[in-house]
Coordinates of all heavy atoms in Angstrom, one line a residue:
M1 N 43.0 -107.2 121.8 CA 41.7 -106.5 121.6 C 41.3 -105.9 123.0 O 40.9 -104.8 123.0 CB 40.7 -107.5 121.1 CG 39.3 -106.9 121.0 SD 38.9 -106.3 119.4 CE 37.2 -106.1 119.5
E2 N 41.4 -106.7 124.1 CA 41.0 -106.2 125.4 C 41.9 -105.0 125.8 O 41.4 -104.0 126.4 CB 41.1 -107.3 126.5 CG 40.2 -108.5 126.2 CD 38.8 -108.1 126.4 OE1 38.4 -107.3 127.3 OE2 37.9 -108.7 125.7
R3 N 43.2 -105.0 125.5 CA 44.1 -103.9 125.8 C 43.7 -102.7 125.1 O 43.7 -101.6 125.6 CB 45.5 -104.3 125.5 CG 46.1 -105.2 126.5 CD 47.6 -105.3 126.2 NE 48.1 -106.3 127.1 CZ 49.4 -106.6 127.2 NH1 50.3 -106.0 126.5 NH2 49.8 -107.5 128.1
A4 N 43.3 -102.8 123.8 CA 42.9 -101.6 123.0 C 41.6 -101.0 123.6 O 41.5 -99.8 123.7 CB 42.7 -102.0 121.6
K5 N 40.7 -101.9 124.0 CA 39.5 -101.4 124.6 C 39.8 -100.6 125.9 O 39.2 -99.6 126.2 CB 38.5 -102.5 124.9 CG 37.8 -103.1 123.7 CD 36.8 -104.1 124.2 CE 36.2 -104.9 123.1 NZ 35.3 -106.0 123.6
L6 N 40.6 -101.2 126.7 CA 41.0 -100.6 128.0 C 41.7 -99.3 127.8 O 41.3 -98.3 128.4 CB 41.9 -101.6 128.8 CG 42.3 -101.1 130.2 CD1 41.2 -100.9 131.1 CD2 43.3 -102.1 130.8
G7 N 42.7 -99.3 127.0 CA 43.4 -98.0 126.7 C 42.6 -96.9 126.2 O 42.7 -95.8 126.6
G8 N 41.6 -97.2 125.4 CA 40.7 -96.2 124.8 C 39.7 -95.7 125.8 O 39.1 -94.6 125.7
A9 N 39.4 -96.5 126.9 CA 38.4 -96.1 127.9 C 39.0 -95.4 129.1 O 38.2 -94.7 129.8 CB 37.7 -97.4 128.4
L10 N 40.3 -95.4 129.2 CA 40.9 -94.7 130.4 C 41.0 -93.2 130.2 O 41.2 -92.7 129.1 CB 42.3 -95.2 130.6 CG 42.5 -96.7 131.1 CD1 43.9 -97.1 131.0 CD2 42.0 -96.9 132.5
T11 N 40.7 -92.5 131.2 CA 40.9 -91.0 131.2 C 42.0 -90.8 132.3 O 42.3 -91.6 133.1 CB 39.6 -90.3 131.6 OG1 39.2 -90.7 132.9 CG2 38.5 -90.6 130.6
E12 N 42.5 -89.6 132.3 CA 43.5 -89.2 133.3 C 42.9 -88.1 134.2 O 42.2 -87.3 133.8 CB 44.8 -88.6 132.6 CG 45.6 -89.7 131.9 CD 47.0 -89.2 131.5 OE1 47.6 -88.5 132.3 OE2 47.4 -89.6 130.4
Q13 N 43.3 -88.2 135.5 CA 42.8 -87.3 136.5 C 44.0 -87.0 137.4 O 44.7 -87.9 137.8 CB 41.6 -87.9 137.2 CG 40.9 -86.9 138.1 CD 39.6 -87.4 138.6 OE1 39.1 -88.5 138.2 NE2 39.0 -86.6 139.5
T14 N 44.1 -85.7 137.8 CA 45.1 -85.3 138.7 C 44.5 -84.9 140.1 O 43.5 -84.3 140.1 CB 45.9 -84.1 138.2 OG1 46.5 -84.5 136.9 CG2 47.0 -83.6 139.1
F15 N 45.1 -85.4 141.1 CA 44.6 -85.1 142.5 C 45.7 -84.3 143.2 O 46.9 -84.6 143.1 CB 44.3 -86.4 143.2 CG 43.2 -87.2 142.6 CD1 43.5 -88.2 141.6 CD2 41.9 -87.0 143.0 CE1 42.5 -88.9 141.1 CE2 40.9 -87.7 142.4 CZ 41.2 -88.7 141.5
N16 N 45.3 -83.3 144.0 CA 46.2 -82.5 144.8 C 46.5 -83.2 146.1 O 45.7 -84.1 146.6 CB 45.6 -81.1 145.1 CG 45.4 -80.3 143.8 OD1 46.4 -80.3 143.0 ND2 44.3 -79.7 143.6
D17 N 47.6 -82.8 146.8 CA 48.0 -83.4 148.0 C 46.8 -83.3 149.0 O 46.2 -82.3 149.3 CB 49.1 -82.5 148.6 CG 49.7 -83.1 149.9 OD1 49.8 -84.4 150.0 OD2 50.1 -82.3 150.8
G18 N 46.5 -84.5 149.6 CA 45.5 -84.6 150.6 C 44.1 -84.8 150.1 O 43.1 -85.1 150.8
E19 N 43.9 -84.7 148.8 CA 42.6 -84.8 148.1 C 42.1 -86.2 148.1 O 42.9 -87.1 147.8 CB 42.6 -84.2 146.7 CG 41.3 -84.2 146.0 CD 41.3 -83.6 144.6 OE1 42.4 -83.1 144.2 OE2 40.3 -83.7 144.0
A20 N 40.9 -86.5 148.5 CA 40.3 -87.8 148.5 C 40.0 -88.3 147.1 O 39.3 -87.6 146.4 CB 39.1 -87.9 149.4
M21 N 40.5 -89.4 146.7 CA 40.2 -90.0 145.4 C 38.9 -90.8 145.6 O 38.1 -90.8 144.7 CB 41.4 -90.9 145.0 CG 42.7 -90.1 144.9 SD 44.0 -91.3 144.8 CE 45.3 -90.3 144.2
I22 N 38.9 -91.6 146.6 CA 37.6 -92.3 147.0 C 37.5 -92.2 148.5 O 38.4 -92.0 149.2 CB 37.7 -93.8 146.6 CG1 38.8 -94.6 147.3 CG2 37.8 -94.0 145.1 CD1 38.7 -96.1 147.1
K23 N 36.2 -92.4 149.0 CA 35.9 -92.2 150.4 C 35.2 -93.5 150.9 O 34.3 -94.0 150.2 CB 35.1 -91.0 150.7 CG 35.8 -89.7 150.4 CD 34.9 -88.5 150.7 CE 35.6 -87.2 150.4 NZ 34.7 -86.1 150.7
Q24 N 35.7 -93.9 152.0 CA 35.1 -95.1 152.7 C 33.6 -94.9 152.8 O 33.1 -93.8 153.2 CB 35.7 -95.3 154.1 CG 35.2 -96.5 154.8 CD 35.9 -96.8 156.1 OE1 37.1 -96.3 156.3 NE2 35.3 -97.5 157.0
G25 N 32.8 -95.9 152.5 CA 31.3 -95.8 152.7 C 30.6 -95.4 151.4 O 29.4 -95.5 151.3
E26 N 31.3 -94.8 150.4 CA 30.6 -94.4 149.2 C 30.4 -95.5 148.2 O 31.1 -96.5 148.3 CB 31.5 -93.3 148.5 CG 31.5 -92.0 149.2 CD 32.3 -90.9 148.5 OE1 33.0 -91.2 147.5 OE2 32.1 -89.7 148.8
S27 N 29.5 -95.3 147.3 CA 29.4 -96.3 146.2 C 30.6 -96.3 145.3 O 31.2 -95.2 145.1 CB 28.1 -96.0 145.4 OG 27.0 -96.1 146.2
G28 N 30.9 -97.4 144.7 CA 32.0 -97.5 143.8 C 31.6 -97.1 142.4 O 30.8 -97.8 141.8
E29 N 32.2 -96.0 141.9 CA 31.8 -95.6 140.5 C 33.0 -95.6 139.6 O 32.8 -95.4 138.4 CB 31.2 -94.2 140.5 CG 29.9 -94.2 141.3 CD 28.8 -95.1 140.8 OE1 28.7 -95.2 139.6 OE2 28.0 -95.6 141.6
E30 N 34.2 -95.7 140.1 CA 35.4 -95.7 139.3 C 36.5 -96.6 139.8 O 36.6 -96.9 141.0 CB 36.0 -94.2 139.3 CG 35.0 -93.2 138.7 CD 35.4 -91.8 138.9 OE1 35.8 -91.5 140.0 OE2 35.4 -91.0 137.9
F31 N 37.4 -97.0 138.9 CA 38.6 -97.8 139.1 C 39.8 -96.9 138.8 O 39.7 -96.2 137.8 CB 38.5 -99.0 138.2 CG 39.8 -99.8 138.1 CD1 40.2 -100.6 139.2 CD2 40.6 -99.8 137.0 CE1 41.3 -101.4 139.1 CE2 41.7 -100.6 136.9 CZ 42.1 -101.4 138.0
F32 N 40.8 -97.0 139.6 CA 42.0 -96.1 139.4 C 43.3 -96.9 139.3 O 43.5 -97.9 140.0 CB 42.1 -95.2 140.7 CG 40.9 -94.3 140.9 CD1 39.8 -94.8 141.6 CD2 41.0 -93.0 140.5 CE1 38.7 -94.0 141.8 CE2 39.9 -92.2 140.8 CZ 38.8 -92.7 141.4
I33 N 44.2 -96.4 138.5 CA 45.6 -96.9 138.4 C 46.5 -95.7 138.6 O 46.3 -94.7 137.8 CB 45.8 -97.6 137.0 CG1 44.9 -98.7 136.7 CG2 47.3 -98.1 137.0 CD1 44.9 -99.2 135.3
I34 N 47.4 -95.8 139.5 CA 48.2 -94.6 139.8 C 49.3 -94.6 138.7 O 50.0 -95.5 138.4 CB 48.9 -94.7 141.1 CG1 47.8 -94.7 142.2 CG2 49.9 -93.6 141.3 CD1 48.3 -94.8 143.6
K35 N 49.3 -93.5 138.0 CA 50.3 -93.2 136.9 C 51.6 -92.6 137.5 O 52.7 -93.1 137.2 CB 49.7 -92.3 135.8 CG 50.6 -91.9 134.7 CD 50.0 -90.9 133.8 CE 51.0 -90.5 132.7 NZ 50.4 -89.5 131.8
E36 N 51.4 -91.6 138.3 CA 52.6 -90.9 138.9 C 52.1 -90.5 140.3 O 51.0 -90.0 140.5 CB 53.0 -89.7 138.1 CG 53.5 -90.0 136.7 CD 53.7 -88.7 136.0 OE1 52.9 -87.7 136.0 OE2 54.8 -88.6 135.3
G37 N 53.1 -90.5 141.2 CA 52.8 -90.1 142.6 C 52.5 -91.2 143.5 O 52.8 -92.4 143.2
C38 N 51.9 -90.9 144.7 CA 51.5 -91.9 145.6 C 50.3 -91.5 146.4 O 49.9 -90.4 146.3 CB 52.7 -92.3 146.5 SG 53.3 -91.0 147.5
A39 N 49.7 -92.5 147.1 CA 48.5 -92.3 147.8 C 48.5 -93.0 149.1 O 49.2 -94.0 149.3 CB 47.3 -92.7 147.0
M40 N 47.7 -92.6 150.1 CA 47.6 -93.2 151.4 C 46.2 -93.8 151.5 O 45.2 -93.1 151.2 CB 47.9 -92.1 152.5 CG 47.8 -92.6 153.9 SD 48.2 -91.4 155.1 CE 47.2 -90.0 154.7
V41 N 46.2 -95.0 152.0 CA 44.9 -95.7 152.2 C 44.6 -95.7 153.7 O 45.5 -96.1 154.5 CB 45.0 -97.2 151.7 CG1 43.6 -97.9 151.9 CG2 45.4 -97.2 150.2
T42 N 43.4 -95.2 154.0 CA 43.1 -95.2 155.5 C 41.7 -95.9 155.7 O 40.9 -96.0 154.7 CB 43.0 -93.7 156.0 OG1 42.0 -93.0 155.2 CG2 44.3 -93.0 155.9
H43 N 41.5 -96.3 156.9 CA 40.3 -97.0 157.2 C 39.8 -96.5 158.6 O 40.6 -96.2 159.5 CB 40.5 -98.5 157.4 CG 39.3 -99.3 157.7 ND1 38.3 -99.6 156.8 CD2 38.9 -99.9 158.9 CE1 37.4 -100.3 157.4 NE2 37.7 -100.5 158.7
T44 N 38.5 -96.3 158.7 CA 37.9 -95.9 159.9 C 37.0 -97.0 160.5 O 36.2 -97.6 159.7 CB 37.0 -94.6 159.7 OG1 37.8 -93.6 159.1 CG2 36.4 -94.1 161.0
E45 N 37.1 -97.4 161.7 CA 36.4 -98.4 162.4 C 35.1 -97.9 163.0 O 35.1 -96.9 163.7 CB 37.2 -99.1 163.5 CG 38.2 -100.1 162.9 CD 37.6 -101.3 162.3 OE1 36.5 -101.8 162.7 OE2 38.2 -101.8 161.3
G46 N 34.0 -98.5 162.7 CA 32.7 -98.2 163.4 C 32.3 -96.7 163.3 O 32.4 -96.1 162.2
D47 N 32.0 -96.1 164.4 CA 31.6 -94.7 164.5 C 32.7 -93.8 164.7 O 32.6 -92.6 164.8 CB 30.5 -94.5 165.5 CG 29.2 -95.2 165.2 OD1 28.9 -95.4 164.0 OD2 28.5 -95.6 166.1
S48 N 33.9 -94.4 164.8 CA 35.1 -93.5 165.1 C 35.4 -92.6 163.9 O 35.1 -92.9 162.7 CB 36.4 -94.4 165.2 OG 37.5 -93.7 165.3
K49 N 35.9 -91.4 164.2 CA 36.2 -90.5 163.1 C 37.7 -90.5 162.9 O 38.2 -89.8 162.0 CB 35.8 -89.1 163.5 CG 34.3 -89.0 163.7 CD 33.8 -87.6 163.4 CE 32.4 -87.4 163.7 NZ 31.5 -87.9 162.7
E50 N 38.5 -91.3 163.6 CA 39.9 -91.4 163.5 C 40.3 -92.4 162.4 O 39.9 -93.6 162.4 CB 40.5 -91.9 164.8 CG 42.0 -91.9 164.8 CD 42.6 -92.2 166.2 OE1 42.0 -92.0 167.2 OE2 43.7 -92.8 166.2
E51 N 41.0 -91.9 161.4 CA 41.5 -92.7 160.3 C 42.8 -93.4 160.7 O 43.7 -92.7 161.2 CB 41.7 -91.9 159.0 CG 40.4 -91.3 158.5 CD 40.6 -90.5 157.2 OE1 41.7 -90.0 157.0 OE2 39.6 -90.4 156.5
T52 N 43.0 -94.6 160.3 CA 44.2 -95.4 160.5 C 44.8 -95.7 159.2 O 44.1 -96.2 158.3 CB 43.9 -96.7 161.3 OG1 43.3 -96.4 162.5 CG2 45.2 -97.5 161.5
E53 N 46.0 -95.4 159.0 CA 46.7 -95.7 157.7 C 46.9 -97.2 157.6 O 47.5 -97.8 158.5 CB 48.0 -95.0 157.6 CG 48.7 -95.2 156.2 CD 50.0 -94.4 156.1 OE1 50.2 -93.4 156.7 OE2 50.9 -94.9 155.3
V54 N 46.5 -97.8 156.5 CA 46.6 -99.2 156.3 C 47.5 -99.6 155.1 O 48.0 -100.7 155.1 CB 45.3 -99.9 156.2 CG1 44.5 -99.8 157.5 CG2 44.5 -99.4 155.0
A55 N 47.8 -98.7 154.3 CA 48.7 -99.0 153.1 C 49.1 -97.7 152.4 O 48.5 -96.6 152.6 CB 47.9 -99.9 152.1
R56 N 50.1 -97.8 151.6 CA 50.6 -96.8 150.7 C 50.6 -97.3 149.3 O 51.0 -98.5 149.1 CB 52.0 -96.3 151.1 CG 52.1 -95.6 152.4 CD 52.6 -94.2 152.1 NE 52.4 -93.4 153.4 CZ 52.2 -92.2 153.4 NH1 52.2 -91.5 152.3 NH2 52.1 -91.5 154.5
L57 N 50.2 -96.6 148.3 CA 50.1 -97.0 146.9 C 51.0 -96.1 146.1 O 51.2 -94.9 146.4 CB 48.7 -96.9 146.4 CG 47.6 -97.7 147.2 CD1 46.3 -97.4 146.6 CD2 47.9 -99.2 147.2
H58 N 51.7 -96.7 145.1 CA 52.6 -96.0 144.2 C 52.3 -96.2 142.8 O 51.4 -97.0 142.5 CB 54.0 -96.5 144.6 CG 54.4 -96.2 146.0 ND1 54.1 -97.2 147.0 CD2 55.0 -95.2 146.6 CE1 54.6 -96.7 148.2 NE2 55.0 -95.5 148.0
A59 N 53.1 -95.6 141.9 CA 52.9 -95.8 140.5 C 52.7 -97.2 140.1 O 53.6 -98.1 140.5 CB 54.0 -95.1 139.7
G60 N 51.7 -97.6 139.3 CA 51.4 -98.9 138.9 C 50.4 -99.7 139.8 O 49.8 -100.7 139.4
D61 N 50.2 -99.2 141.0 CA 49.2 -99.8 141.9 C 47.8 -99.4 141.5 O 47.7 -98.3 140.8 CB 49.5 -99.4 143.3 CG 50.7 -100.0 143.9 OD1 51.2 -101.0 143.5 OD2 51.3 -99.3 144.9
Y62 N 46.9 -100.1 141.8 CA 45.5 -99.8 141.4 C 44.6 -100.0 142.7 O 44.9 -100.7 143.6 CB 45.0 -100.7 140.3 CG 45.0 -102.2 140.5 CD1 43.9 -102.8 141.1 CD2 46.2 -102.9 140.3 CE1 43.9 -104.2 141.3 CE2 46.2 -104.3 140.5 CZ 45.1 -104.9 141.0 OH 45.1 -106.2 141.3
F63 N 43.4 -99.4 142.6 CA 42.4 -99.5 143.7 C 41.0 -99.2 143.1 O 40.9 -98.6 142.0 CB 42.8 -98.6 144.8 CG 42.9 -97.1 144.5 CD1 41.8 -96.3 144.7 CD2 44.0 -96.6 144.0 CE1 41.9 -94.9 144.4 CE2 44.1 -95.3 143.7 CZ 43.0 -94.4 143.9
G64 N 40.0 -99.5 143.9 CA 38.6 -99.3 143.5 C 37.9 -100.4 142.8 O 36.7 -100.4 142.5
D65 N 38.7 -101.5 142.6 CA 38.1 -102.6 141.9 C 37.1 -103.4 142.7 O 36.1 -103.9 142.2 CB 39.2 -103.6 141.4 CG 40.2 -104.0 142.4 OD1 40.6 -103.1 143.2 OD2 40.6 -105.1 142.5
T66 N 37.4 -103.6 144.0 CA 36.5 -104.4 144.9 C 35.1 -103.9 144.9 O 34.1 -104.7 144.7 CB 37.1 -104.5 146.3 OG1 38.4 -105.0 146.2 CG2 36.2 -105.4 147.2
A67 N 34.9 -102.6 145.1 CA 33.5 -102.1 145.1 C 32.8 -102.2 143.8 O 31.6 -102.4 143.8 CB 33.6 -100.6 145.5
L68 N 33.6 -102.2 142.7 CA 32.9 -102.3 141.4 C 32.5 -103.8 141.1 O 31.5 -104.1 140.6 CB 33.9 -101.9 140.3 CG 34.2 -100.4 140.3 CD1 35.1 -100.0 139.1 CD2 32.9 -99.5 140.2
L69 N 33.4 -104.7 141.6 CA 33.1 -106.1 141.4 C 32.0 -106.7 142.3 O 31.2 -107.5 141.9 CB 34.4 -107.0 141.6 CG 35.4 -106.7 140.5 CD1 36.7 -107.4 140.9 CD2 35.0 -107.3 139.1
T70 N 32.0 -106.2 143.5 CA 31.0 -106.7 144.5 C 29.8 -105.8 144.7 O 28.8 -106.2 145.3 CB 31.7 -106.8 145.9 OG1 32.1 -105.5 146.4 CG2 32.9 -107.7 145.8
K71 N 29.9 -104.6 144.2 CA 28.8 -103.6 144.3 C 28.6 -103.2 145.8 O 27.5 -102.7 146.2 CB 27.5 -104.1 143.7 CG 27.7 -104.3 142.2 CD 26.4 -104.7 141.5 CE 26.7 -104.9 140.0 NZ 25.7 -105.6 139.3
E72 N 29.6 -103.5 146.7 CA 29.5 -103.0 148.1 C 30.1 -101.6 148.1 O 30.7 -101.1 147.2 CB 30.3 -104.0 148.9 CG 29.7 -105.4 149.0 CD 30.5 -106.3 149.9 OE1 31.5 -105.9 150.5 OE2 30.2 -107.5 149.9
K73 N 29.9 -101.0 149.3 CA 30.4 -99.6 149.5 C 31.9 -99.7 149.6 O 32.5 -100.8 149.9 CB 29.8 -99.1 150.8 CG 28.3 -98.9 150.8 CD 27.8 -97.9 149.9 CE 26.3 -97.7 150.1 NZ 25.8 -96.8 149.1
R74 N 32.6 -98.6 149.4 CA 34.0 -98.5 149.5 C 34.5 -98.9 150.9 O 33.9 -98.4 151.9 CB 34.5 -97.1 149.2 CG 34.2 -96.6 147.8 CD 35.1 -97.1 146.8 NE 34.9 -96.4 145.5 CZ 35.4 -96.8 144.4 NH1 36.0 -97.9 144.3 NH2 35.2 -96.1 143.3
G75 N 35.5 -99.7 151.0 CA 36.0 -100.2 152.3 C 37.1 -99.3 152.9 O 37.5 -99.6 154.0
A76 N 37.5 -98.3 152.2 CA 38.6 -97.5 152.7 C 38.6 -96.1 152.0 O 37.9 -96.0 151.0 CB 40.0 -98.2 152.5
T77 N 39.3 -95.2 152.5 CA 39.5 -93.9 151.9 C 40.9 -93.9 151.3 O 41.9 -94.4 151.9 CB 39.4 -92.8 152.9 OG1 38.0 -92.8 153.4 CG2 39.7 -91.4 152.3
V78 N 41.1 -93.3 150.1 CA 42.4 -93.2 149.4 C 42.6 -91.7 149.2 O 41.8 -91.1 148.5 CB 42.5 -94.0 148.1 CG1 43.9 -93.8 147.5 CG2 42.2 -95.5 148.4
R79 N 43.7 -91.2 149.7 CA 44.0 -89.7 149.5 C 45.4 -89.6 148.8 O 46.3 -90.4 149.1 CB 44.1 -89.0 150.8 CG 42.8 -88.9 151.6 CD 43.0 -88.1 152.9 NE 41.8 -88.2 153.7 CZ 40.7 -87.6 153.5 NH1 40.5 -86.8 152.4 NH2 39.6 -87.8 154.3
A80 N 45.5 -88.6 148.0 CA 46.7 -88.3 147.3 C 47.8 -87.9 148.3 O 47.4 -87.1 149.3 CB 46.5 -87.2 146.3
D81 N 49.0 -88.4 148.2 CA 50.1 -87.9 149.1 C 51.0 -87.2 148.2 O 51.9 -87.8 147.6 CB 50.7 -89.2 149.7 CG 51.8 -88.8 150.7 OD1 51.8 -87.6 151.1 OD2 52.6 -89.7 151.1
G82 N 50.8 -85.9 148.0 CA 51.5 -85.1 147.0 C 50.6 -85.1 145.7 O 49.5 -85.7 145.7
I83 N 51.0 -84.4 144.7 CA 50.3 -84.4 143.4 C 50.4 -85.9 142.9 O 51.4 -86.5 142.8 CB 50.9 -83.5 142.4 CG1 51.0 -82.0 143.0 CG2 50.2 -83.5 141.1 CD1 49.6 -81.4 143.2
T84 N 49.2 -86.4 142.5 CA 49.1 -87.8 142.1 C 48.2 -87.8 140.8 O 47.1 -87.3 140.8 CB 48.5 -88.7 143.2 OG1 49.3 -88.6 144.4 CG2 48.4 -90.1 142.7
N85 N 48.8 -88.4 139.8 CA 48.1 -88.6 138.5 C 47.6 -90.0 138.4 O 48.4 -91.0 138.6 CB 49.0 -88.2 137.3 CG 49.4 -86.8 137.4 OD1 48.6 -85.9 137.5 ND2 50.7 -86.6 137.3
C86 N 46.4 -90.2 138.0 CA 45.8 -91.5 137.8 C 45.1 -91.7 136.5 O 44.6 -90.8 135.9 CB 44.7 -91.8 138.9 SG 45.3 -91.8 140.6
Y87 N 45.1 -93.0 136.1 CA 44.2 -93.4 135.0 C 42.9 -93.8 135.6 O 43.0 -94.5 136.7 CB 44.8 -94.6 134.2 CG 46.1 -94.3 133.5 CD1 47.3 -94.9 133.8 CD2 46.1 -93.4 132.4 CE1 48.4 -94.7 133.1 CE2 47.3 -93.2 131.7 CZ 48.4 -93.8 132.1 OH 49.6 -93.5 131.4
V88 N 41.8 -93.4 135.1 CA 40.5 -93.7 135.7 C 39.6 -94.4 134.7 O 39.6 -94.0 133.5 CB 39.8 -92.4 136.2 CG1 38.5 -92.7 136.9 CG2 40.8 -91.6 137.1
L89 N 38.9 -95.4 135.1 CA 38.0 -96.2 134.3 C 36.6 -96.1 135.0 O 36.5 -96.5 136.2 CB 38.5 -97.6 134.2 CG 37.7 -98.5 133.2 CD1 37.8 -98.0 131.8 CD2 38.3 -99.9 133.3
D90 N 35.6 -95.7 134.3 CA 34.2 -95.6 134.9 C 33.7 -97.0 135.1 O 34.1 -98.0 134.5 CB 33.3 -94.8 134.1 CG 33.0 -95.4 132.7 OD1 32.0 -96.2 132.7 OD2 33.6 -95.1 131.7
S91 N 32.7 -97.1 136.0 CA 32.2 -98.5 136.4 C 31.5 -99.2 135.3 O 31.7 -100.4 135.2 CB 31.2 -98.3 137.6 OG 30.1 -97.5 137.2
R92 N 30.8 -98.5 134.4 CA 30.1 -99.2 133.3 C 31.1 -99.9 132.4 O 31.0 -101.1 132.0 CB 29.2 -98.2 132.6 CG 28.3 -98.9 131.6 CD 27.4 -98.0 131.0 NE 27.7 -97.9 129.5 CZ 27.4 -97.0 128.7 NH1 26.7 -95.9 129.1 NH2 27.7 -97.0 127.5
T93 N 32.2 -99.2 132.0 CA 33.2 -99.7 131.2 C 34.0 -100.8 131.9 O 34.3 -101.9 131.3 CB 34.1 -98.6 130.7 OG1 33.4 -97.5 130.1 CG2 35.1 -99.1 129.7
F94 N 34.3 -100.6 133.1 CA 35.0 -101.6 133.9 C 34.2 -102.9 133.9 O 34.8 -104.0 133.6 CB 35.1 -101.1 135.4 CG 35.8 -102.1 136.3 CD1 37.2 -102.1 136.4 CD2 35.1 -103.1 137.0 CE1 37.9 -103.0 137.3 CE2 35.8 -104.0 137.8 CZ 37.2 -103.9 137.9
R95 N 32.9 -102.9 134.2 CA 32.1 -104.1 134.2 C 32.0 -104.7 132.8 O 32.0 -106.0 132.7 CB 30.7 -103.8 134.8 CG 30.7 -103.6 136.2 CD 29.3 -103.5 136.8 NE 29.4 -103.1 138.2 CZ 29.2 -101.9 138.7 NH1 28.8 -100.9 137.9 NH2 29.3 -101.6 140.0
S96 N 31.9 -103.9 131.8 CA 31.8 -104.5 130.4 C 33.1 -105.2 130.1 O 33.0 -106.2 129.3 CB 31.4 -103.4 129.4 OG 32.5 -102.6 129.1
L97 N 34.2 -104.8 130.6 CA 35.5 -105.4 130.2 C 35.8 -106.6 131.1 O 36.3 -107.6 130.6 CB 36.6 -104.4 130.4 CG 36.7 -103.3 129.4 CD1 37.8 -102.3 129.8 CD2 37.1 -103.8 128.0
F98 N 35.4 -106.6 132.4 CA 35.8 -107.6 133.3 C 34.7 -108.6 133.7 O 34.9 -109.7 134.2 CB 36.4 -107.0 134.5 CG 37.7 -106.3 134.2 CD1 37.7 -104.9 134.1 CD2 38.9 -107.0 133.9 CE1 38.9 -104.2 133.8 CE2 40.0 -106.3 133.6 CZ 40.0 -104.9 133.5
D99 N 33.4 -108.2 133.6 CA 32.3 -109.1 133.9 C 32.1 -110.2 132.9 O 31.5 -111.2 133.1 CB 31.0 -108.4 134.2 CG 31.0 -107.8 135.6 OD1 31.9 -108.1 136.4 OD2 30.0 -107.0 135.9
S100 N 32.5 -109.9 131.7 CA 32.2 -110.8 130.5 C 33.1 -112.0 130.5 O 32.9 -112.9 129.7 CB 32.4 -110.0 129.2 OG 33.7 -109.6 129.1
R101 N 34.0 -112.1 131.4 CA 35.0 -113.2 131.5 C 34.4 -114.4 132.2 O 33.7 -114.5 133.0 CB 36.3 -112.8 132.1 CG 36.9 -111.8 131.2 CD 38.3 -111.5 131.7 NE 39.0 -110.8 130.6 CZ 40.2 -110.8 130.5 NH1 41.0 -111.3 131.4 NH2 40.8 -110.2 129.5

């Protein structure tokens, strides 16, 4: 039953090379699962404008869950590295599926 709810709630979104999927410091409004492509995760310390790469994500990897679960601001920026297709779940649906446990 949970899988059916999840599958019906996911939408697909395509990101172009270099496009930010989420940005550090923003409120978390969506959860992402990479369907195809890859993404680069970067972090900026303090007032620095210099981004440091901290991870690479590939098909099957997910991100955006921490901000939704904790209601804290995004802790990193995730950018598409080439054309990247993702499944996206909005925060309200995410919470209804995962907070009830």
Side-chain angles (χ1 to χ4, degrees):
M1 175 100 164
E2 296 293 327
R3 283 187 187 188
K5 284 183 188 177
L6 180 61
L10 292 170
T11 59
E12 287 191 41
Q13 190 170 352
T14 300
F15 296 90
N16 294 314
D17 184 39
E19 184 177 357
M21 302 163 164
I22 63 172
K23 292 181 182 176
Q24 183 176 338
E26 290 183 344
S27 297
E29 299 299 325
E30 297 170 311
F31 169 74
F32 300 82
I33 303 169
I34 298 178
K35 177 183 176 187
E36 297 175 317
C38 60
M40 179 174 53
V41 182
T42 61
H43 180 76
T44 304
E45 282 294 325
D47 293 331
S48 172
K49 297 208 186 282
E50 187 175 329
E51 294 182 338
T52 302
E53 183 177 336
V54 294
R56 291 240 171 209
L57 303 174
H58 301 89
D61 290 334
Y62 60 90
F63 59 95
D65 52 317
T66 302
L68 295 181
L69 291 169
T70 65
K71 298 181 182 167
E72 293 179 9
K73 301 288 185 189
R74 301 279 192 197
T77 296
V78 180
R79 294 185 190 282
D81 187 13
I83 302 293
T84 304
N85 298 309
C86 293
Y87 294 115
V88 182
L89 186 63
D90 68 85
S91 61
R92 191 173 115 199
T93 307
F94 180 91
R95 286 189 186 103
S96 72
L97 289 171
F98 296 102
D99 280 352
S100 62
R101 293 183 165 206

